[in-house]
Amino acid sequence: MKDFFNYVVSAIATMVLLLRRTASPEKIRRVQGSVRYSTLIVVLFCRDKACLVSTTTRASPYLSLRRCVKLFVFLCVFVSLWFNSLYAQLNTENNYRKPLKEVLNDIQKRYDVQIKYDEKLIADKFVNYAEWRYRTDVEVTLDNVLSPFDMVAKKEKDKVYKLGNYEYYRWNVADGWAELDRIASQYKDVEEWEKRKADLKACFLEAAQLSPFPASPGTAPVRANFRKMNGYTIENLAIEILPGVWVNGSLYKPEKYKGKIPVILHPQGHWDKHRYRPDCQYTSAAIAKMGGMIFNYDMFAWGESMLQFKYEDHRRSLALTMQLLAGKRILDYLLSQKDADTSRVAIVGGSGGGTQTVYLTAVDDRINVSAPVVMLSSYFYGGCPCESGANVHGCAGRTNHVELAAMAAPQPQLVVSDGGDWTDRMPEHDFHYLKKMYSWYGKPDNVINVHLPNDKHDFGFNKRKAVYEFFAKHLGLNLKPVQADDGTIADTTITLEREDAFYVFGKNGENLPAHAVKGFENLEKLFAQEIQRARPTGSSGRTKSDQRYKIGLIDLMLLKRQKLGAIPLTAQLKADGVEVDMGGLGNRPTFDNQLLIDSVRNRFLKTAKENNVEIFSLAMTGYYAQSFCGREEYKRSIEDCIKTMQLMNVKTAFLPLGVQCDLKNKPQVRDSVVARLKVAGRMAEAANVVIGIETALSAKEEVQLLKEIGSAAIKIYFNFSNPLKEGRDLISELKILGKDRICMIHATNKDSVWLENDPQIDMYKVKKTLDEMGWRGWLVIERSRDAKKPSDTKYNYGANTAYLKKVFQE
């Protein structure tokens, strides 16, 4: 008992001093002594007839466990009271130190004010030199006390303050205006402004970690729940922005329309219920009924994005990057559609969506109409790390939201502001700056401000009305479908849908693809890898991810079928990537595929990364000789290929139909081929990959074949040699198929001469046609070998690679 007692006394005294950060050997001994004498009182207080205690160092052996506990509790209470009285003796040795809570309570009493705060915010915080921070003015006192903790006291009303963390992104009005004036003083005319604008754009993308942009996965969107409404349609889409990472949203279109229609992006802000809320549905439905296609979508780690990432991940600087990347990928997809009018492209968003509107317009020249709603201000930089977490405002000697918005000039821009948030003073100062910038281009009327002094921070009807009228004017949309009989705008007559109607991956994420990335740590690793892959440059000076056309080789044709050596050889020949074979098939149930072995696959991936060579496709060339349409067991081979694609992050596979399934010479096998490709298509769609098939059919016949198959995951792997040997016009065949039906191209002819010497192919005309079609992707060299040296791989593929790079990449 003696040892136990001494241990407790020493531990309590030492711990208290250490917590106070004033411990020294002398102080510890002094406090231990005081505690020892003080406990005598406690022990005597606890004594009864069954327990005799004479001193603190001699305890009865009959002292029960229950009484030991009782003694310990009383001891702790007594020591705490004693120490607090001792601690009241403030001096320079303890830095006049007081708990923050005690200081705040004292300020409330001394100045007769109320201070609201969250207990968690002030827990375990102490104020050094507390008494010395008081001043006659309560706000000066609060600033002196709170500034060491990066905290502020915001005045809610007279004598009422609320504590919060320091808001680096919120300035007072005068400081914000002065900063905008300082920024504007750096350029005196449009020429100087254009130079600064170019510097801002380059720096912005660098700060956002998007210089260069990572390569697009190039996959088809995941589609769900198409429905027809009154005057418009809705389809939910998930667009893959990085391998295994999606941005989800809903695409609204007019129910009936002809020709090409405007494209509008509608990023969302930090609103309750996000894109599922009524005003988002009103906006999207109204613009669709007016004649535009509009895509509203989730912020990063909000909405369906939370199936992959946590809510707190949204408040990270990478969220800014992911949202900017999402906007670009959405534009890439929408503008590739046949009904998209690429000359009429707009973006509108409110609050945090307004920040995305400004940012994306500043860095993507395809957007030519913008409408930031209740966001733009020189004294507010975005209240979330998804807006200001990355140092984009540090660019070019510092910038702000208003200057970034000026980068849209002279393209039409609507600025909506209100009296209930940080946009409340827009007409007084900031808008004059925007007007001046637009006047430099001779178009001051292209920027307008609709200020709503009696409105609050929302996306209410008054804001929506302004957007409809602005878009009607600058996008050529028709207001009549959203006008009542008296000509007033009425957008609330639509059918509001429940939240789960807008899901792509199901209520509980049951339809989320198997290769989905989960967890922020995994996203960081993936993003770093994708950026690293994009950084090396080719001879043209462009990064590989920027290349519209990439040049690929085939390991089988390099005489290195599923051999590691094909990768460094591809790099040596200066091609961008290599198609890796799945291995032989023969009478096996599936391919002789070593890539499903972890160690083998990892060596391939590691070697590809080291050589800056992309494995862009897996080839099922075993079906050249074997019968895809006749084999009883074919599903397993497709499954193995798709599984390997997922493990290696390869998005396209090659499936030749071969001699035995030649649809031209053996039309009787067509039903079997179509049936099996439907199955393969469903499997590929589920994995979000594409299977490219090669046939001997004409382009018109291949279009019909794809219609019969009915899967977006089955496309044509076009081969120049097929139409050429049949005497069909190569250019016409490409145009008939169109860009959306061709996944890759075998840029090759029969073995005879190199491509540059082939009289049957005008490669520059081919490029011009592909440019006009809007196609982009892999040009893969299969044959076109010099007949004199057909087996000299370096000689043949080096020459053909150099020629295609000259034509397509310079």
Side-chain angles (χ1 to χ4, degrees):
M1 181 64 194
K2 173 183 175 181
D3 292 338
F4 169 75
F5 177 80
N6 286 331
Y7 172 77
V8 169
V9 169
S10 299
I12 292 175
T14 304
M15 181 173 61
V16 169
L17 283 171
L18 287 173
L19 286 173
R20 294 293 187 181
R21 299 175 184 264
T22 60
S24 70
E26 181 182 351
K27 286 185 179 180
I28 291 174
R29 285 194 297 272
R30 187 167 66 246
V31 174
Q32 287 174 344
S34 300
V35 172
R36 186 180 300 277
Y37 285 113
S38 301
T39 52
L40 178 61
I41 301 172
V42 177
V43 172
L44 291 173
F45 178 78
C46 297
R47 186 181 59 183
D48 60 18
K49 295 180 181 180
C51 176
L52 299 176
V53 180
S54 57
T55 69
T56 58
T57 58
R58 295 180 60 85
S60 168
Y62 304 104
L63 193 64
S64 69
L65 177 63
R66 182 173 62 85
R67 297 196 179 280
C68 286
V69 173
K70 186 176 181 181
L71 172 62
F72 180 74
V73 171
F74 271 95
L75 177 63
C76 291
V77 172
F78 190 86
V79 169
S80 176
L81 293 172
W82 170 84
F83 188 83
N84 283 336
S85 66
L86 179 68
Y87 188 69
Q89 301 170 13
L90 298 172
N91 52 49
T92 55
E93 291 184 26
N94 53 38
N95 298 325
Y96 292 93
R97 202 160 181 256
K98 283 186 176 182
L100 176 57
K101 184 173 183 178
E102 181 182 327
V103 175
L104 292 174
N105 289 337
D106 184 53
I107 291 174
Q108 292 185 91
K109 294 176 183 177
R110 187 177 299 193
Y111 296 94
D112 189 27
V113 296
Q114 178 187 359
I115 303 174
K116 300 177 182 179
Y117 53 81
D118 185 333
E119 290 285 350
K120 294 178 182 178
L121 192 63
I122 66 169
D124 301 323
K125 288 183 172 66
F126 293 84
V127 184
N128 287 333
Y129 303 100
E131 295 285 350
W132 297 86
R133 295 178 184 271
Y134 286 73
R135 298 292 185 272
T136 55
D137 185 277
V138 64
E139 293 186 8
V140 176
T141 300
L142 284 169
D143 185 57
N144 289 343
V145 168
L146 298 173
S147 57
F149 307 106
D150 275 342
M151 294 168 59
V152 293
K154 293 173 61 178
K155 190 172 184 178
E156 292 190 329
K157 56 184 179 180
D158 186 39
K159 293 192 173 186
V160 178
Y161 297 86
K162 184 175 182 179
L163 258 59
N165 289 315
Y166 171 68
E167 296 177 329
Y168 65 90
Y169 47 82
R170 191 190 303 271
W171 295 22
N172 66 52
V173 176
D175 288 344
W177 287 357
E179 175 66 0
L180 181 58
D181 292 343
R182 181 198 68 78
I183 290 170
S185 68
Q186 299 174 83
Y187 33 88
K188 300 295 189 294
D189 53 39
V190 73
E191 184 178 350
E192 291 182 0
W193 163 241
E194 283 293 332
K195 184 179 183 303
R196 177 169 172 83
K197 189 163 76 168
D199 291 341
L200 282 170
K201 181 176 179 179
C203 178
F204 190 102
L205 290 172
E206 186 70 33
Q209 303 181 71
L210 291 172
S211 181
F213 275 92
S216 170
T219 52
V222 180
R223 301 174 180 275
N225 194 22
F226 177 84
R227 58 262 196 212
K228 291 184 178 181
M229 312 300 281
N230 183 19
Y232 61 98
T233 65
I234 311 175
E235 185 175 24
N236 306 332
L237 302 178
I239 297 173
E240 195 168 17
I241 62 175
L242 288 172
V245 181
W246 289 267
V247 58
N248 291 28
S250 296
L251 180 62
Y252 288 64
K253 288 186 176 183
E255 184 179 19
K256 296 178 181 179
Y257 61 95
K258 293 181 180 180
K260 296 181 181 295
I261 58 177
V263 172
I264 300 99
L265 269 63
H266 189 23
Q268 299 305 297
H270 302 88
W271 310 109
D272 184 37
K273 295 297 183 184
H274 206 43
R275 64 184 176 91
Y276 314 124
R277 68 193 192 284
D279 63 71
C280 181
Q281 296 187 48
Y282 294 147
T283 306
S284 302
I287 290 176
K289 291 167 74 173
M290 290 166 61
M293 70 169 80
I294 178 169
F295 187 73
N296 64 56
Y297 55 98
D298 293 329
M299 293 190 296
F300 172 74
W302 274 53
E304 281 194 275
S305 181
M306 291 178 67
L307 294 172
Q308 299 185 256
F309 308 105
K310 295 179 180 179
Y311 172 74
E312 51 265 34
D313 294 334
H314 177 74
R315 296 193 63 80
R316 297 176 184 261
S317 60
L318 191 60
L320 183 154
T321 303
M322 298 303 295
Q323 290 174 179
L324 201 61
L325 180 61
K328 182 181 185 301
R329 295 282 194 255
I330 293 166
L331 265 186
D332 291 344
Y333 170 71
L334 293 180
L335 296 183
S336 71
Q337 303 306 294
K338 292 180 179 179
D339 53 357
D341 186 342
T342 58
S343 67
R344 293 184 289 168
V345 182
I347 183 169
V348 56
S351 191
T355 296
Q356 292 184 62
T357 297
V358 171
Y359 288 176
L360 198 59
T361 304
V363 300
D364 198 314
D365 295 336
R366 294 174 294 181
I367 297 173
N368 45 41
V369 178
S370 60
V373 176
V374 296
M375 187 63 220
L376 207 55
S377 171
S378 62
Y379 44 92
F380 192 74
Y381 289 76
C384 176
C386 78
E387 300 168 86
S388 53
N391 192 28
V392 294
H393 296 102
C395 285
R398 295 204 62 77
T399 184
N400 63 18
H401 270 41
V402 181
E403 186 184 36
L404 292 173
M407 292 175 68
Q411 304 285 11
Q413 180 171 201
L414 165 68
V415 178
V416 179
S417 53
D418 64 67
D421 58 29
W422 49 86
T423 67
D424 56 344
R425 310 284 291 275
M426 171 57 64
E428 300 175 45
H429 182 274
D430 296 350
F431 186 64
H432 295 303
Y433 163 81
L434 290 173
K435 202 79 169 174
K436 178 188 74 173
M437 301 308 294
Y438 272 75
S439 69
W440 284 1
Y441 296 91
K443 296 187 176 181
D445 295 335
N446 267 12
V447 61
I448 66 170
N449 172 217
V450 172
H451 186 64
L452 305 165
N454 298 320
D455 273 32
K456 300 299 183 183
H457 185 75
D458 59 26
F459 210 94
F461 174 73
N462 290 333
K463 283 92 171 177
R464 302 196 302 272
K465 175 177 178 291
V467 171
Y468 302 152
E469 292 172 343
F470 186 74
F471 281 178
K473 177 179 179 180
H474 292 285
L475 295 176
L477 298 179
N478 182 11
L479 278 173
K480 287 185 179 180
V482 294
Q483 287 178 326
D485 293 339
D486 61 359
T488 59
I489 292 177
D491 66 352
T492 59
T493 58
I494 67 164
T495 300
L496 291 175
E497 295 188 286
R498 297 186 317 177
E499 179 176 321
D500 56 8
F502 297 97
Y503 295 160
V504 179
F505 295 134
K507 192 171 185 179
N508 300 306
E510 58 271 16
N511 298 323
L512 191 67
H515 69 291
V517 173
K518 292 187 177 181
F520 190 79
E521 185 176 320
N522 291 326
L523 173 65
E524 285 184 305
K525 292 177 182 177
L526 170 67
F527 183 76
Q529 291 170 358
E530 292 299 308
I531 288 295
Q532 185 60 37
R533 288 177 184 173
R535 287 198 188 284
T537 58
S539 59
S540 66
R542 293 188 296 269
T543 61
K544 284 192 174 183
S545 63
D546 292 334
Q547 293 286 5
R548 179 170 188 167
Y549 304 107
K550 297 182 183 181
I551 312 304
L553 300 178
I554 302 169
D555 67 350
L556 182 69
M557 303 309 295
L558 294 174
L559 308 181
K560 295 183 180 294
R561 187 181 198 180
Q562 207 175 97
K563 300 289 187 187
L564 204 59
I567 296 173
L569 179 55
T570 297
Q572 183 182 348
L573 298 176
K574 302 188 184 310
D576 301 313
V578 63
E579 183 176 82
V580 175
D581 201 81
M582 285 290 294
L585 187 53
N587 294 321
R588 305 178 190 87
T590 188
F591 302 105
D592 182 18
N593 175 26
Q594 301 301 302
L595 296 173
L596 284 177
I597 301 172
D598 290 345
S599 59
V600 174
R601 182 179 65 257
N602 290 336
R603 282 199 299 273
F604 270 74
L605 294 173
K606 182 174 182 290
T607 304
K609 184 177 181 180
E610 291 171 347
N611 286 272
N612 190 32
V613 168
E614 185 175 344
I615 299 175
F616 63 87
S617 173
L618 297 181
M620 295 179 272
T621 60
Y623 279 117
Y624 268 126
Q626 300 301 315
S627 175
F628 174 72
C629 54
R631 288 174 65 96
E632 183 176 345
E633 175 53 69
Y634 71 95
K635 291 183 183 178
R636 182 178 165 186
S637 60
I638 301 295
E639 288 172 351
D640 282 358
C641 182
I642 290 175
K643 182 178 180 181
T644 307
M645 293 171 75
Q646 291 176 310
L647 291 170
M648 299 183 74
N649 194 28
V650 174
K651 297 301 181 182
T652 310
F654 173 41
L655 174 60
L657 296 184
V659 177
Q660 298 185 51
C661 300
D662 186 339
L663 296 176
K664 180 183 178 185
N665 296 319
K666 296 184 178 181
Q668 66 273 17
V669 302
R670 186 183 184 94
D671 289 346
S672 176
V673 169
V674 170
R676 291 178 178 222
L677 286 176
K678 284 184 176 182
V679 173
R682 288 194 293 270
M683 295 163 65
E685 285 178 16
N688 207 23
V689 297
V690 170
I691 295 176
I693 60 172
E694 181 182 333
T695 81
L697 298 174
S698 69
K700 288 183 179 179
E701 291 169 327
E702 286 186 330
V703 170
Q704 181 58 39
L705 176 66
L706 292 178
K707 286 182 179 178
E708 292 179 34
I709 296 167
S711 171
I714 303 294
K715 296 182 182 291
I716 298 299
Y717 196 153
F718 188 79
N719 194 321
F720 289 168
S721 67
N722 287 332
L724 292 176
K725 68 184 178 184
E726 297 295 331
R728 296 192 295 268
D729 183 67
L730 174 59
I731 301 302
S732 297
E733 295 283 286
L734 286 169
K735 290 180 178 179
I736 290 169
L737 279 172
K739 68 181 179 68
D740 294 330
R741 299 187 184 94
I742 301 173
C743 62
M744 292 187 290
I745 293 175
H746 274 134
T748 191
N749 200 358
K750 62 183 183 295
D751 287 330
S752 174
V753 294
W754 290 343
L755 287 168
E756 63 183 306
N757 301 323
D758 194 329
Q760 288 188 284
I761 305 176
D762 183 341
M763 203 63 75
Y764 286 97
K765 190 174 181 180
V766 169
K767 180 182 183 298
K768 184 174 183 293
T769 301
L770 294 175
D771 287 346
E772 291 171 350
M773 288 168 53
W775 188 85
R776 63 187 297 141
W778 285 92
L779 300 164
V780 187
I781 306 169
E782 184 184 34
R783 295 188 182 276
S784 291
R785 295 173 291 196
D786 186 343
K788 297 176 182 178
K789 295 183 178 181
S791 60
D792 191 332
T793 54
K794 292 182 181 179
Y795 170 74
N796 288 299
Y797 292 105
N800 284 331
T801 297
Y803 176 63
L804 287 185
K805 279 186 165 283
K806 178 183 177 182
V807 175
F808 287 91
Q809 293 184 354
E810 292 184 0

